[in-house]
Amino acid sequence: MKTSIAGFEVELARKRVKNLSVRIMPPAGEIRISAPYAMPETTIAAFLTEKRAWIEKSREKLTARAPIAPLTCSDGELVFVEGVARRLTVITAANGIKNADNAESPANGRSTAHGIADTADCNAGSGVAQETVKLGRLHVSLYPEKIVMSAPPGTDAALRRAALDKLLKVGLSKRLAERFPVFEELTGLHPTSVIIRDMHTRYGTCNTKTGRIAISLTLAAKPPVCVDYVILHELSHLRYPDHGALFKAHLDRYMPHWREVKKLLNSTPENTR
């Protein structure tokens, strides 16, 4: 619920948790609080007062950032994959879709009445697609320097985004499948399951009771080392539920430079909505 505590307008949620949690949410710096049912509001107010400088500094950083336009999956937009910007080429056709690697190029370079094909200028230097996915009549292919999307005319932005997310999820799934075993062997910690979720406020979560780890699809845009950090971070929660000294020491042991990687994670671009 919305309420005012210690001079702050906050979103307060009472939950079955042991500790008080305060998060500053982008883009406007909204304050979200999770608190135990039995915790007095005076305790929450005292905590906010103690952390006032940190809260105000965090909000200033968020509001000082230049606004980022949501990704609409339009022709020419930049899509970030593993920390690298790829130019999106969207090709439309009235009837059917052909594989971009095999179809002949239409004369106008963008659309054809009988099928969809990547054009000669698009293919130049692209090589073979690293990954291709289909969603209905949409095809999306990842190349070393770009992404090619074939879609019928009139396909709305939500469906184009769903197709792009499917491509990004495939790549992230492969990365997780490669790297989770590495860190599991290093730490001796093993989740019961790992899933990818469309989360916008956290890069990962760990349910310490079930051992289930969820990874945000947002990580598909980040450099590979950032994915490694999130994997280690969430695995570490299986042993240390909070972010205390023992948790940080555990990160230090297996990734001594994790603080620098965390800064990279929080500063590199994402595929916004």
Side-chain angles (χ1 to χ4, degrees), residues 155-169:
T155 303
D156 64 27
L159 189 55
R160 293 198 302 270
R161 182 59 192 258
L164 176 64
D165 282 348
K166 185 176 181 180
L167 177 72
L168 297 175
K169 187 174 183 179

Side-chain angles (χ1 to χ4, degrees), residues 136-168:
R137 297 176 63 204
L138 282 76
H139 287 50
V140 191
S141 297
L142 175 68
Y143 292 87
E145 297 180 357
K146 66 175 184 176
I147 296 173
V148 177
M149 178 180 292
S150 300
T155 303
D156 64 27
L159 189 55
R160 293 198 302 270
R161 182 59 192 258
L164 176 64
D165 282 348
K166 185 176 181 180
L167 177 72
L168 297 175

Side-chain angles (χ1 to χ4, degrees), residues 64-80:
R65 294 178 183 174
I68 302 174
L71 184 64
T72 61
C73 294
S74 300
D75 186 63
E77 283 188 306
L78 289 178
V79 178
F80 291 90

Side-chain angles (χ1 to χ4, degrees), residues 4 25 32 56 91 96 118 130 140 142 190 211 215 254:
S4 179
M25 309 302 297
R32 292 186 186 176
E56 292 177 347
I91 308 171
D118 202 353
Q130 298 170 315
V140 191
L142 175 68
H190 305 279
I215 299 295
Y254 297 106

Side-chain angles (χ1 to χ4, degrees), residues 11-266:
E11 179 72 28
L12 175 61
R14 297 284 186 173
K15 299 181 178 181
R16 291 180 179 178
V17 294
K18 294 182 179 180
N19 301 310
L20 177 68
S21 171
V22 178
R23 290 185 289 160
I24 313 301
M25 309 302 297
E30 179 188 12
I31 303 172
R32 292 186 186 176
I33 301 174
S34 299
Y37 285 110
M39 179 174 286
E41 191 168 303
T42 53
T43 302
I44 300 174
F47 183 84
L48 293 179
T49 300
E50 179 186 349
K51 298 295 183 180
R52 182 178 297 276
W54 169 79
I55 292 171
E56 292 177 347
K57 184 177 180 180
S58 298
R59 299 183 82 182
E60 286 175 5
K61 286 182 178 180
L62 285 176
T63 55
R65 294 178 183 174
I68 302 174
L71 184 64
T72 61
C73 294
S74 300
D75 186 63
E77 283 188 306
L78 289 178
V79 178
F80 291 90
V81 182
E82 295 186 349
V84 178
R86 318 282 179 105
R87 187 72 64 179
L88 177 64
T89 298
V90 179
I91 308 171
T92 60
N95 300 299
I97 296 176
K98 295 181 180 180
N99 186 299
D101 290 329
N102 300 323
E104 295 180 358
S105 300
N108 64 7
R110 289 293 178 192
S111 64
T112 171
H114 304 291
I116 294 179
D118 202 353
T119 63
D121 64 300
C122 290
N123 274 326
S126 294
V128 178
Q130 298 170 315
E131 194 71 58
T132 297
V133 301
K134 300 178 183 179
L135 182 65
R137 297 176 63 204
L138 282 76
H139 287 50
V140 191
S141 297
L142 175 68
Y143 292 87
E145 297 180 357
K146 66 175 184 176
I147 296 173
V148 177
M149 178 180 292
S150 300
T155 303
D156 64 27
L159 189 55
R160 293 198 302 270
R161 182 59 192 258
L164 176 64
D165 282 348
K166 185 176 181 180
L167 177 72
L168 297 175
K169 187 174 183 179
V170 169
L172 181 58
S173 295
K174 290 182 177 179
R175 178 73 185 176
L176 297 179
E178 292 173 356
R179 301 302 291 170
F180 255 100
V182 172
F183 285 96
E184 287 179 48
E185 183 176 353
L186 279 174
T187 63
L189 300 171
H190 305 279
T192 56
S193 64
V194 177
I195 61 170
I196 296 174
R197 293 178 57 191
D198 190 15
M199 300 186 293
H200 309 296
T201 60
R202 297 184 181 185
Y203 293 115
T205 62
C206 176
N207 188 318
T208 56
K209 292 183 179 179
T210 66
R212 187 182 191 186
I213 289 176
I215 299 295
S216 172
L217 181 58
T218 303
L219 278 181
K222 300 294 186 174
V225 67
C226 294
V227 179
D228 285 354
Y229 163 70
V230 174
I231 290 172
L232 176 60
H233 184 112
E234 300 308 332
L235 282 175
S236 298
H237 277 313
L238 294 173
R239 182 168 293 166
Y240 305 106
D242 58 23
H243 293 105
L246 292 176
F247 174 84
K248 292 175 182 177
H250 193 258
L251 295 183
D252 287 335
R253 178 179 180 183
Y254 297 106
M255 186 180 285
H257 60 300
W258 68 267
R259 292 171 180 82
E260 289 73 23
V261 178
K262 183 179 179 180
K263 290 179 182 178
L264 180 66
L265 172 67
N266 292 325

